[in-house]
Amino acid sequence: MAPAISISLNDSTDLTDFVINQGHGVKGLSEMGIKALPEQYIQPLQERVMTKIEPRESIPVIDMSKWDDPQVANSICDAAEKWGFFQVVNHGVPQEVLDSVKKATYGFFGLPAEEKRKYSKENSPSNNVRFGTSFTPQVEKALEWKDYLSLFYVSEEEAAALWPSVCRDEILAYMKSSKVLINHLLQVLMKRLNVNEIDETKQSLLTGSVRTNINYYPICPNPELTVGVGRHSDVSTLTVLLQDSVGGLYVRGNEGEDSWIHVPPIDGAIVINIGDALQIMSNGRYRSVEHRVTANGSSNRISVPIFVNPRPQDMIGPLPETLANGEKPIYKQVLYSDYVKHFFRKAHDGKDTVDFAKITN
């Protein structure tokens, strides 16, 4: 139901107060039935126009039903090297878990603004639980058409105490059910880097911290003028993404600067992408690829990414095994928390974050 409230869309203070401070998000704007996109959301032309969409190209879809098949392992590593993105089917995460977490996402964003506001930066009892909108509104010249809830996992006890009850159990079930898939993917990817066994130290480096977001992209009055998410790469080791049937996720193709490929929704599939941390650890062998989400003029869209990361206190750099044959490192050792802070202190800017870790001659 549309919020019974009137605001001046031309007054940036009024708009910010409504969207951010009052907790309505862009969902609140969408449900007011606005006919024109507020100026603050109009993106520069180069950020909203994809000049070259590759209709014949598609990222690989990998059937995981024969997990131990060397061909499956090769397909995973090849996709990580060439595309940085792939979809998996028959992955072992039950369909009912995927359906439940999608339903729970709608449940959270369907809460009244005053309920969602309890989890905003100003009101949340913990930095580990954050309801927000856009990406980093305080530094963005143009805002993105998206609301989100971000949940950093510490323990079952903290989740029980602090996560919203409307979606907590479903998100925890999705995270737990994805663990086997994540570990299997990492074992396969590590083997090609000459890491034959993931010991406790490596496991912690690869998967020591986990964050799950639930994202809501409401219907937009002028979708061609804005973005759901601007072009960026993830700072994770791996991202495990559940998308709904609406579509709108695009990844940077291999055909030059302005080439983009749509990641079509496949019922029951999960999208996997390589994050910057794994690109750095693999010394550039695996690719963390730019991606973006378009806004939609006719359907609400949701997605649920699990970001599997190093711990904040971990140093990340090329793994010794990747350099064993004399390969020169192209990245230096960086503190992961510094890398993440660098990512969040600016607007989305494509692949520029990874330069933070590059060795410059």
Side-chain angles (χ1 to χ4, degrees):
M1 206 171 93
I5 200 162
S6 69
I7 61 163
S8 167
L9 297 180
N10 299 318
D11 182 334
S12 66
T13 310
D14 214 4
L15 186 87
T16 301
D17 185 56
F18 177 80
V19 172
I20 297 172
N21 303 337
Q22 292 180 34
H24 291 284
V26 284
K27 181 175 184 283
L29 287 180
S30 177
E31 289 176 349
M32 286 171 71
I34 59 171
K35 298 288 180 248
L37 189 73
E39 196 181 324
Q40 292 88 332
Y41 291 90
I42 298 176
Q43 294 282 334
L45 195 63
Q46 69 273 18
E47 294 302 331
R48 54 185 153 98
V49 172
M50 291 182 282
T51 50
K52 191 177 175 191
I53 294 173
E54 301 287 344
R56 289 177 302 282
E57 289 273 30
S58 61
I59 65 164
V61 179
I62 300 171
D63 186 342
M64 301 284 286
S65 53
K66 294 180 181 166
W67 284 38
D68 298 327
D69 186 337
Q71 222 172 341
V72 173
N74 282 334
S75 298
I76 290 165
C77 296
D78 291 349
E81 287 184 10
K82 184 182 178 185
W83 300 99
F85 263 83
F86 52 97
Q87 300 205 62
V88 292
V89 294
N90 298 318
H91 41 63
V93 182
Q95 185 66 44
E96 57 268 25
V97 170
L98 302 181
D99 292 341
S100 293
V101 81
K102 285 193 269 195
K103 192 175 172 191
T105 298
Y106 274 108
F108 174 78
F109 289 104
L111 291 173
E114 55 271 21
E115 280 299 309
K116 289 183 286 194
R117 193 169 65 229
K118 289 176 184 173
Y119 303 100
S120 69
K121 186 178 180 181
E122 293 70 29
N123 302 322
S124 180
S126 164
N127 280 337
N128 297 333
V129 181
R130 176 73 49 84
F131 167 65
T133 189
S134 192
F135 177 60
T136 313
Q138 59 274 27
V139 296
E140 290 172 292
K141 289 189 174 72
L143 298 171
E144 300 175 349
W145 193 258
K146 178 189 86 167
D147 299 329
Y148 67 87
L149 176 71
S150 184
L151 301 164
F152 184 84
Y153 179 81
V154 174
S155 66
E156 291 272 336
E157 293 72 32
E158 182 176 289
L162 299 180
W163 290 16
S165 59
V166 70
C167 57
R168 176 188 59 225
D169 294 345
E170 293 82 0
I171 293 170
L172 286 171
Y174 173 46
M175 289 169 67
K176 278 181 202 157
S177 299
S178 302
K179 251 185 181 171
V180 175
L181 170 64
I182 291 163
N183 287 334
H184 183 77
L185 290 170
L186 286 172
Q187 278 165 10
V188 164
L189 291 164
M190 286 296 110
K191 269 202 175 131
R192 190 171 280 192
L193 301 179
N194 302 315
V195 178
N196 292 317
E197 191 192 338
I198 300 178
D199 60 18
E200 210 174 303
T201 308
K202 282 261 186 351
Q203 186 73 38
S204 180
L205 179 65
L206 294 165
T207 68
S209 74
V210 180
R211 179 185 294 281
T212 301
N213 280 15
I214 55 174
N215 298 323
Y216 190 92
Y217 305 89
I219 292 169
C220 181
N222 303 105
E224 72 287 352
L225 297 181
T226 192
V227 294
V229 178
R231 54 192 184 85
H232 70 288
S233 60
D234 295 344
V235 293
S236 56
T237 303
L238 278 185
T239 302
V240 175
L241 173 81
L242 175 63
Q243 60 171 344
D244 65 12
S245 60
V246 173
L249 172 63
Y250 287 82
V251 306
R252 178 79 80 185
N254 294 318
E255 302 299 316
E257 267 304 285
D258 281 320
S259 152
W260 292 92
I261 297 164
H262 187 231
V263 181
I266 297 171
D267 191 38
I270 290 175
V271 181
I272 307 292
N273 66 280
I274 306 299
D276 290 355
L278 189 51
Q279 176 172 317
I280 291 164
M281 287 189 244
S282 70
N283 204 35
R285 183 161 189 171
Y286 297 139
R287 297 179 62 217
S288 172
V289 172
E290 258 183 276
H291 49 288
R292 63 196 299 167
V293 175
T294 54
N296 192 299
S298 55
S299 299
N300 300 315
R301 177 181 184 266
I302 57 163
S303 68
V304 188
I306 300 173
F307 302 102
V308 181
N309 315 299
R311 296 170 306 172
Q313 68 270 31
D314 284 327
M315 296 296 293
I316 61 166
L319 297 169
E321 292 87 347
T322 64
L323 308 176
N325 60 0
E327 194 178 307
K328 284 218 169 100
I330 55 176
Y331 301 106
K332 58 193 175 190
Q333 297 283 328
V334 294
L335 183 66
Y336 187 62
S337 60
D338 287 346
Y339 189 84
V340 173
K341 278 176 198 157
H342 180 67
F343 177 68
F344 280 105
R345 70 165 63 107
K346 56 195 175 41
H348 280 141
D349 57 2
K351 280 286 293 175
D352 288 359
T353 309
V354 83
D355 290 342
F356 182 75
K358 268 203 171 140
I359 292 174
T360 49
N361 298 326

